[in-house]
Amino acid sequence: MSNKNKTIHEFDFNLICEYFSNVERQGPGSPEVTVKALGFIDNLTPQSRIADIGCGTGGQTMTLAQNVSGQITGLDLFPGFINIFNRNAHTLGLSDRVNGIVGSMVETLPFEKESLDLIWSEGAIYNIGFERGLNEWKQYLKKNGYIAVSEASWFTEERPAEIYDFWMANYPEIDTIPNKVAQVQNAGYVPVATFTIPEDCWTEHYFAPCCRIQEMFLKKHAGNQTVEELIAGQRQEMELYHKYKEFYGYVFYIGKKI
């Protein structure tokens, strides 16, 4: 199929989807961390309604569904991810209460106001911005409903220029843990729990699976400069993490709507 009529944005969009469709997780995390975060959330019942925003292919969503009752809707911008999501739900026998839909988190969400008991988002809220997501998504939560998100955060007040410049170029909203907790509170939530995710969430559950597919992906798209740049960026991210992991990482923030 010719790509001559596609913009570079559209082409990148498809490539990113194809690349990350080959791995279970589209960002750092693990089933153990998902279960740990879930442990801070009370009062979920078979009637509870849960939304996983920016769900990807649903690695964490399936863990949620296997550890809590209730109806779960996964929302993601990539149709390819949602196809895999729904296929996985069917394979695991969860499709009666787990459903993936295509949608954008930066637009009006397809939920009624004050209809959700829990909003979940692992490694994805950065797409809309941490503060914006906390504030805009709150309207969909019931009173005393929960939000649970993982977000890139600084562990220290000072950090080397190389890693600081990298994050400023890619996600300038990264901030220290105390400042992020203050943002949770200022958005109208009681901060319930905050914890850093372990190193193996990066190395074993994210980087290692990505490394296994990169050579295959480069060979499949041999000579494609966009693919080469995508893989180079992924490898740079991994190298920087190993070099500077004591200065930053993903942190789970869990809040309860007042």
Side-chain angles (χ1 to χ4, degrees):
M1 181 178 295
S2 172
N3 293 308
K4 65 180 181 180
N5 294 322
K6 293 184 179 180
T7 66
I8 188 66
H9 174 74
E10 291 169 330
F11 188 57
D12 285 346
F13 188 94
N14 292 328
L15 278 176
I16 292 168
C17 181
E18 181 186 352
Y19 175 77
F20 283 107
S21 293
N22 290 289
V23 290
E24 182 179 355
R25 287 183 169 271
Q26 288 70 55
S30 72
E32 293 77 15
V33 162
T34 297
V35 172
K36 179 177 180 178
L38 190 58
F40 293 102
I41 295 162
D42 298 325
N43 303 322
L44 293 178
T45 71
Q47 287 72 47
S48 295
R49 295 190 61 198
I50 301 165
D52 185 356
I53 302 177
C55 61
T57 59
Q60 71 290 330
T61 327
M62 304 306 149
T63 300
L64 281 175
Q66 290 166 333
N67 286 275
V68 68
S69 55
Q71 297 290 321
I72 304 177
T73 301
L75 177 84
D76 201 276
L77 188 63
F78 293 92
F81 286 173
I82 294 301
N83 290 338
I84 296 171
F85 180 106
N86 286 324
R87 185 164 67 243
N88 290 340
H90 177 76
T91 300
L92 294 169
L94 298 168
S95 53
D96 60 326
R97 60 187 186 88
V98 179
N99 181 52
I101 60 174
V102 177
S104 170
M105 68 172 67
V106 299
E107 299 172 359
T108 301
L109 298 181
F111 308 107
E112 294 181 6
K113 293 184 178 180
E114 299 186 344
S115 65
L116 300 175
D117 298 276
L118 170 62
I119 289 177
W120 200 271
S121 186
E122 290 196 33
I125 194 172
Y126 77 90
N127 287 293
I128 188 173
F130 187 74
E131 283 191 281
R132 181 182 172 188
L134 292 175
N135 282 283
E136 290 190 8
W137 297 349
K138 185 177 66 173
Q139 64 184 305
Y140 302 102
L141 283 173
K142 298 175 183 176
K143 183 178 181 181
N144 296 322
Y146 287 85
I147 190 165
V149 302
S150 62
E151 164 83 340
S153 305
W154 294 123
F155 295 159
T156 60
E157 290 294 337
E158 297 181 356
R159 67 283 309 187
E162 184 180 23
I163 193 60
Y164 175 81
D165 291 344
F166 171 81
W167 278 103
M168 288 303 99
N170 288 279
Y171 185 54
E173 199 175 336
I174 186 173
D175 209 334
T176 60
I177 295 172
N179 287 343
K180 291 288 185 182
V181 172
Q183 290 167 3
V184 173
Q185 187 166 16
N186 291 338
Y189 305 88
V190 176
V192 172
T194 302
F195 65 90
T196 59
I197 72 170
E199 182 180 338
D200 69 348
C201 290
W202 292 78
T203 56
E204 296 178 25
H205 295 277
Y206 180 50
F207 289 143
C210 285
C211 285
R212 286 193 287 269
I213 67 165
Q214 285 172 359
E215 286 304 322
M216 173 273 293
F217 202 69
L218 285 169
K219 289 179 181 178
K220 180 178 179 182
H221 297 281
N224 187 313
Q225 185 178 354
T226 305
V227 169
E228 292 172 358
E229 291 173 355
L230 172 64
I231 300 302
Q234 291 292 300
R235 289 172 172 172
Q236 180 194 25
E237 181 183 6
M238 181 172 64
E239 291 169 3
L240 288 173
Y241 178 76
H242 286 300
K243 189 175 181 180
Y244 296 114
K245 59 190 175 185
E246 68 267 32
F247 296 98
Y248 73 98
Y250 268 176
V251 177
F252 242 107
Y253 297 94
I254 301 166
K256 187 175 185 179
K257 180 180 175 180
I258 298 172

